[in-house]
């Protein structure tokens, strides 16, 4: 399939939806964006080439995503009290590859602001998405998240996916 | 308020309770740094972090910025990260390779890997002065004492005191248990450090490590969630095994609060403690059996049984290290201020063990110890809340009275009593060590 503005638009809308589901805490809706064997991966260093068999800030298949979802929804998840807010901005969307069947590899940048109690934290970096074309749009096979501050000391932790 | 008490350290700690200022007072913190962290043996790093000559890593010991560097002679040195000329830090990065020597970025004084002065630009300017190679004050200051036990490098910034082995005592099992589980008898660091900052006093982290009452309260949410998914996976596997990583998490819920009394803490001099194991890490799956065969070949049946029979979950080396030897995890605690603490988290490969065994250690590292941890997230929340509460005037004392008076003294150690695993004996033991360091 050739690159065209319609594909660019569809991909951008998909990435915005992904970020919007996170900001609206629609955890199951977000997990549903992934293919059955999809992986969410945040490496601790940009030089890492694979999520498998190495240290990872996140390296989650849909089963582990479900653990995280059930955990944050549990009434005794203490660090979820008070709840927090995030807001993502996704930009610089660049399609790197399109296959004949319409599968895409896409790079983009994100900026996320998080508010918890009275404290604001900023996280920013790049996304890499490997996505399979399907009837509904796309299914994420790999979402790689490279944080600009991946190697920095974390003030507390990341509660959910970025 | 503390000033009026005139620092009577014998009155800050009672056998079953501690004054809140111990956690919140900035002057007490300074004294702790001087008397404890800059005096006793503190973990610097593993020598496999600096495999080649010139490799270095920087680390904070107490309030002191230090460098661990591998010399051309293969020796690991620990130096103050300070140029003797005008006081500039020598290394500005957390790790790297300095080449054949250190070169200060300010006026280009150069130093050998052991800190000795190598050269000064246009050195004739110092002719007739007290400055030059003959003056030890012109070399980078070395840590007073450095010792390496099975690859684990410790430093003491005080000239005098017990040797590392005397200091560690029985807690040395942390390193023996880790290394002995390797068919080659050694471990190698996985070169990634997860660093997490908590906004609370450093002692809250250490006291939490062997607090057997907290896991089923604090980690209920993750334990339940993992157990739900584990059940679904077990159904799909139709009697086959589910990944051990789910068990590591679900144990926080399936081991209910009353069952934690079945475990035991053993408390040693200098504040060190051990929590006996609870995770049942001797499954009979093909990976474990393959590992067992390699181990039996390396050690013989009898020694193998001794090694894998060591029943430890956690070893706390007071005041700065928490080791989970059966899973090859290590957390170094670096106090940054009275209400700010950094933990540096590492894991290790067992040399000669199959990849599948490493994957268990990795799963624990990623799920429990990463900056997206499903477990420590709730501990960190409690540490912050605890520090906030302690800083208030809502009370003067922290109670450590659980099962007080029922500890058993045996062979120089203090054991929690039978069916009293949730005893606050480890905290009492830590505070006992703390007060002996802090008193005159």
């Amino acid at each position: 399939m050739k690159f065209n503005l319609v594909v660019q638009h569809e991909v951008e809308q998909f990435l915005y939806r992904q970020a919007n589901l996170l900001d609206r805490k629609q955890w199951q809706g977000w997990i549903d964006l992934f293919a059955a064997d999809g992986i969410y991966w945040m490496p601790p260093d940009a030089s890492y080439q694979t999520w498998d068999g190495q240290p990872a800030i996140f390296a989650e298949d849909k089963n582990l995503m479900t653990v995280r979802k059930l955990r944050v929804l549990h009434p005794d998840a203490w660090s979820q009290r008070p709840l927090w807010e995030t807001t993502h901005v996704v930009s610089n969307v660049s399609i790197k590859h399109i296959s004949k069947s319409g599968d895409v590899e896409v790079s983009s940048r994100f900026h996320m602001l998080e508010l918890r109690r009275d404290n604001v934290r900023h996280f920013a970096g790049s996304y890499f998405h490997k996505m399979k074309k399907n009837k509904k749009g796309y299914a994420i096979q790999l979402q790689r998240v490279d944080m600009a501050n991946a190697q920095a000391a974390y003030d507390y932790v990341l509660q959910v996916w970025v | 308020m503390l000033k009026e008490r005139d620092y009577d350290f014998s009155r800050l700690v009672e056998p079953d309770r501690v004054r809140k200022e111990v956690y919140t007072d900035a002057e007490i913190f300074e004294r702790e740094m001087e008397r404890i962290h800059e005096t006793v043996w503190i973990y610097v790093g593993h020598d496999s972090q600096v495999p080649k000559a010139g490799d270095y890593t920087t680390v904070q010991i107490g309030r002191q910025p230090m460098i661990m560097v591998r010399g051309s002679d293969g020796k690991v040195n620990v130096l103050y990260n300070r140029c003797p000329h005008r006081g500039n830090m020598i290394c500005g990065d957390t790790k790297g390779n300095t080449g054949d020597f250190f070169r200060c970025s300010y006026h280009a004084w150069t130093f050998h890997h052991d800190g000795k002065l190598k050269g000064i630009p246009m050195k004739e300017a110092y002719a007739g002065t007290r400055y030059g190679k003959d003056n030890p004050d012109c070399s980078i200051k070395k840590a007073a004492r450095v010792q390496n036990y099975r690859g684990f490098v410790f430093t003491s910034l005080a000239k005098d005191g017990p040797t590392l082995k005397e200091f560690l005592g029985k807690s040395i099992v942390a390193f023996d248990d880790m290394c002995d589980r390797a068919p080659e008898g050694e471990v190698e660091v996985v070169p990634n450090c997860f660093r997490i900052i908590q906004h609370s006093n450093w002692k809250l982290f250490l006291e939490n490590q062997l607090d057997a009452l907290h896991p089923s309260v604090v980690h209920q949410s993750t334990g339940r969630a993992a157990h739900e998914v584990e059940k679904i996976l077990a159904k799909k596997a139709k009697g086959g095994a589910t990944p051990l990583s789910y068990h590591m998490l679900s144990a926080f819920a399936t081991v209910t609060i009353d069952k934690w009394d079945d475990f035991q803490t053993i408390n040693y001099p200098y504040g060190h403690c051990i929590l006996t194991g609870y995770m049942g890490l001797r499954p009979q799956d093909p990976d474990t059996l393959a590992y067992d065969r390699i181990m039996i070949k390396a050690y013989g049946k009898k020694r193998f049984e001794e090694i894998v029979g060591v029943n430890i979950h956690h070893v706390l080396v007071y005041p700065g290290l928490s080791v989970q030897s059966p899973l090859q995890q290590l957390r170094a605690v670096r106090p940054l201020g009275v209400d700010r603490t950094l933990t540096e988290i590492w894991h290790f490969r067992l040399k000669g063990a199959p990849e599948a065994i490493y994957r268990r250690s990795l799963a624990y590292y990623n799920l429990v110890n990463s900056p997206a941890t499903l477990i420590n997230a709730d501990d960190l929340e409690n540490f912050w809340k605890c520090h906030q509460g302690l800083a208030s005037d809502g009370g003067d004392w922290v109670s450590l009275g659980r099962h007080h008076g029922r500890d058993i003294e045996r062979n120089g150690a203090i054991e929690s009593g039978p069916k009293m695993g949730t005893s606050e004996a480890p905290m009492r033991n830590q505070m006992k060590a703390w007060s002996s360091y802090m008193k005159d």
Side-chain angles (χ1 to χ4, degrees):
Chain A
M1 188 188 262
K2 270 190 168 169
F3 172 81
N4 62 49
L5 285 174
V6 175
V7 177
Q8 174 76 23
H9 180 74
E10 279 174 5
V11 165
E12 284 177 0
Q13 291 302 311
F14 185 89
L15 295 184
Y16 299 161
R17 201 170 133 228
Q18 183 269 144
N20 199 35
L21 286 166
L22 289 176
D23 290 339
R24 293 175 58 199
K25 301 187 179 67
Q26 300 289 310
W27 309 130
Q28 191 55 52
W30 182 83
I31 293 171
D32 290 341
L33 297 179
F34 283 76
D37 59 351
I39 297 286
Y40 177 86
W41 177 35
M42 185 187 287
D45 190 283
S47 67
Y48 282 43
Q49 296 296 316
T50 173
W51 63 272
D52 191 26
Q54 300 195 85
I57 298 172
F58 291 83
E60 298 185 357
D61 60 10
K62 287 182 110 166
N63 291 323
L64 279 173
M65 291 178 202
T66 306
V67 173
R68 191 175 291 277
K69 179 197 79 172
L70 291 174
R71 176 194 123 63
V72 296
L73 294 175
H74 192 282
D76 292 345
W78 309 108
S79 63
Q80 306 299 305
R81 307 285 176 274
L83 213 47
W84 32 268
E85 292 300 323
T86 64
T87 180
H88 283 74
V89 175
V90 179
S91 186
N92 305 20
V93 178
S94 170
I95 297 173
K96 298 295 177 193
H97 185 259
I98 309 180
S99 79
K100 277 183 193 158
S101 53
D103 301 347
V104 289
E105 293 180 14
V106 189
S107 77
S108 60
R109 294 262 165 188
F110 67 88
H111 191 136
M112 182 186 93
L113 175 149
E114 180 204 76
L115 173 76
R116 185 156 187 272
R117 294 203 171 89
D118 294 335
N119 302 316
V120 169
R121 298 195 296 178
H122 289 276
F123 297 99
S126 64
Y127 281 147
F128 174 81
H129 283 88
K130 203 165 178 274
M131 310 197 292
K132 205 159 181 54
K133 184 92 182 101
N134 62 18
K135 277 181 206 152
K136 285 188 285 177
Y138 295 99
I140 303 172
Q141 291 172 296
L142 176 70
Q143 175 163 339
R144 174 177 175 150
V145 185
D146 279 286
M147 294 269 251
N149 33 352
Q151 277 286 304
Y154 280 77
D155 232 27
Y156 294 102
V157 299
L158 299 163
Q159 302 282 344
V160 292
W161 313 282
V162 175
Chain B
M1 141 177 57
L2 201 69
K3 281 257 169 29
E4 290 160 25
R5 295 166 64 87
D6 202 19
Y7 293 102
D8 185 350
F9 284 89
S10 61
R11 289 173 55 195
L12 290 174
V13 178
E14 294 182 3
D16 65 340
R17 61 178 193 168
V18 180
R19 285 284 303 196
K20 65 173 185 180
E21 291 88 351
V22 165
Y23 301 86
T24 57
D25 186 277
E27 288 181 47
I28 290 182
F29 176 81
E30 293 299 319
R31 190 175 167 104
E32 285 176 333
M33 292 303 100
E34 183 195 324
R35 296 282 185 115
I36 305 178
H37 289 80
E38 293 169 12
T39 300
V40 308
W41 289 101
I42 298 287
Y43 180 67
V44 182
H46 194 265
D47 67 7
S48 60
Q49 283 169 245
V50 288
K52 296 191 301 290
D55 283 350
Y56 71 85
T57 175
T58 58
V59 64
Q60 178 115 343
I61 305 290
R63 296 159 297 187
Q64 310 303 319
M66 307 298 288
I67 308 168
M68 176 170 82
V69 59
R70 172 85 65 174
S72 315
D73 57 358
K75 209 175 143 225
V76 173
N77 303 302
V78 179
L79 311 171
Y80 285 80
N81 192 359
R82 178 193 189 277
C83 180
H85 175 214
R86 296 268 286 274
N88 220 44
M89 269 168 82
I90 296 285
C91 298
D93 206 352
T94 54
K95 61 185 174 186
N97 186 290
T98 185
D100 293 337
F101 52 85
F102 290 110
R103 184 173 183 272
C104 179
S105 62
Y106 200 1
H107 304 97
W109 284 35
T110 54
F111 305 91
H112 297 287
H113 293 144
D114 63 358
K116 278 210 186 76
L117 179 66
K118 182 174 185 291
I120 298 175
M122 298 173 287
K123 65 174 189 231
E124 52 284 4
Y126 287 104
T129 73
R130 66 168 95 179
Y131 301 100
K133 283 186 187 172
D134 297 335
N135 182 349
D137 290 345
C138 290
S139 290
I140 302 175
K141 188 177 172 184
K142 294 169 83 162
R145 295 184 294 162
V146 178
Q147 280 188 15
N148 181 334
Y149 184 73
R150 300 188 79 167
F152 297 88
V153 179
F154 287 77
T155 190
S156 156
L157 302 184
K159 275 200 293 272
D160 304 314
T163 65
L164 177 63
K165 276 196 175 178
E166 286 165 355
F167 171 77
L168 291 174
K170 291 270 170 50
S171 76
I172 206 163
V173 70
F175 312 104
D176 287 334
D177 185 39
M178 211 193 281
C179 296
D180 290 347
R181 285 170 190 270
E184 294 174 20
E186 283 180 6
V187 295
E188 185 175 34
V189 77
V190 178
N192 178 71
C193 182
F194 284 143
R195 296 186 297 149
I196 296 174
I197 290 171
Q198 68 194 54
H199 292 249
S200 72
N201 189 262
W202 59 277
K203 294 188 290 300
L204 293 172
F205 182 95
L206 294 177
E207 289 169 6
N208 187 62
Q209 293 303 296
L210 274 74
D211 180 331
L213 191 62
H214 92 280
S216 57
V217 181
V218 177
H219 306 305
Q220 187 69 215
S221 61
T222 297
R224 286 262 158 258
H227 194 49
E228 286 306 307
V229 176
E230 194 179 23
K231 280 191 286 191
I232 296 165
L233 293 176
K235 225 181 226 174
K236 279 189 194 159
K238 289 182 183 139
T242 52
L244 202 58
S245 47
Y246 287 87
H247 175 67
M248 291 168 183
L249 298 175
S250 64
F252 286 105
T254 53
V255 181
T256 50
I257 193 163
D258 52 310
K259 287 193 204 150
W260 286 90
D261 264 337
D262 296 344
F263 305 105
Q264 194 184 29
T265 60
I266 310 173
N267 303 282
Y268 299 107
Y270 298 113
H272 312 321
C273 333
I274 287 173
L275 174 67
T276 55
Y278 68 89
M279 282 195 170
L281 288 168
R282 281 196 72 185
Q284 295 297 302
D285 59 283
D287 292 333
T288 308
L289 297 174
Y291 164 73
D292 288 358
R293 281 194 295 277
I294 295 170
M295 286 290 283
I296 290 166
K297 205 174 161 197
Y299 290 101
K301 182 88 179 144
K302 186 168 166 275
R303 179 78 187 113
F304 160 74
E305 285 298 338
E306 281 170 16
I307 290 169
V308 295
V310 172
N311 184 30
I312 284 176
H313 177 58
H314 238 130
V315 183
L316 188 97
V317 181
Y318 196 78
L321 200 56
S322 162
V323 184
Q324 278 173 287
S325 46
L327 287 162
Q328 298 89 47
Q329 319 273 315
L330 178 153
R331 290 186 268 194
V333 182
R334 313 286 186 200
L336 302 177
V338 67
D339 58 356
R340 219 161 150 257
T341 305
L342 171 71
T343 48
E344 297 172 341
I345 314 173
W346 297 91
H347 75 304
F348 298 83
R349 272 180 193 273
L350 300 172
K351 281 194 181 177
E355 177 69 12
I357 299 301
Y358 166 65
R359 293 290 181 115
R360 287 175 192 173
S361 169
L362 176 66
Y364 197 85
Y365 187 66
N366 285 347
L367 292 172
V368 175
N369 280 326
S370 95
T373 168
L374 289 158
I375 296 294
N376 298 338
D378 296 314
D379 288 320
L380 290 158
E381 173 71 8
N382 274 336
F383 299 159
W384 179 79
K385 281 155 91 175
C386 207
H387 198 100
Q388 295 300 305
L390 290 175
S392 81
D393 289 333
D396 290 334
W397 294 94
V398 177
S399 130
L400 302 177
R402 193 173 173 83
H403 285 309
H404 180 239
R406 290 189 281 274
D407 303 334
I408 299 162
E409 285 208 51
R410 193 159 27 211
N411 306 325
I414 299 167
E415 300 174 10
S416 59
K419 300 264 178 203
M420 297 177 203
T422 63
S423 165
E424 281 162 347
M427 302 76 174
R428 291 192 287 271
N429 190 50
Q430 287 169 39
M431 286 319 307
K432 195 172 133 193
W434 184 91
S435 76
S436 75
Y437 286 129
M438 295 290 278
K439 273 191 280 198
D440 281 313

